[in-house]
Amino acid sequence: TVAFAAEPHPQVAGLISMAGGRGGHAYADAGGNCRPDLLVAAAAAFGRTARTPMLWIYAENDSFFPPPLARAMFDAFTEAGGRAALAQPRFPGPDGHALFYAQGGSRVWGPLVAAYLADMQRGAPL
């Protein structure tokens, strides 16, 4: 989704990225990512041309993209010019990386998405 946002999409009002990225559990280590530096660099590169507003959702207990890595990618993206909001909710399950499809996950991300869409409808800036 972040890469998709880097291209012009005049008919798209907003995008939502749920636990976006690549890698995780490097060497069977939860919270370990084999090349976090490249993820941050890619986020910056995509942010340079991304103009579609985005909502990024990473659970606080995501074992693939822990909060410091998600924040670093987000900061690189927005500092490069990308428009986004970051949410890092707590998911009560054992691994927040499953937030989107896990039982009860929509109770966590649903209100975040609803608020984002309402803000988009009102034309509220990020």
Side-chain angles (χ1 to χ4, degrees), residues 8 10 30 37 40 43 46:
D37 57 321
V40 173
F46 294 137

Side-chain angles (χ1 to χ4, degrees), residues 22-117:
R22 184 163 170 83
H25 290 223
Y27 311 107
D29 177 26
N33 196 289
C34 58
R35 290 302 306 266
D37 57 321
L38 293 180
L39 286 174
V40 173
F46 294 137
R48 283 193 270 287
T49 58
R51 296 299 169 259
T52 304
M54 298 185 73
L55 171 62
W56 289 26
I57 302 174
Y58 291 88
E60 182 183 272
N61 58 332
D62 187 318
S63 70
F64 281 64
F65 308 105
L69 177 54
R71 171 57 73 179
M73 291 187 298
F74 173 80
D75 288 347
F77 181 82
T78 57
E79 288 170 9
R83 297 172 51 209
L86 174 65
Q88 292 182 294
R90 177 78 183 153
F91 177 61
D95 185 355
H97 193 69
L99 176 66
F100 181 71
Y101 57 84
Q103 184 175 1
S106 63
R107 285 192 295 272
V108 175
W109 60 260
L112 299 169
V113 170
Y116 172 71
L117 295 175

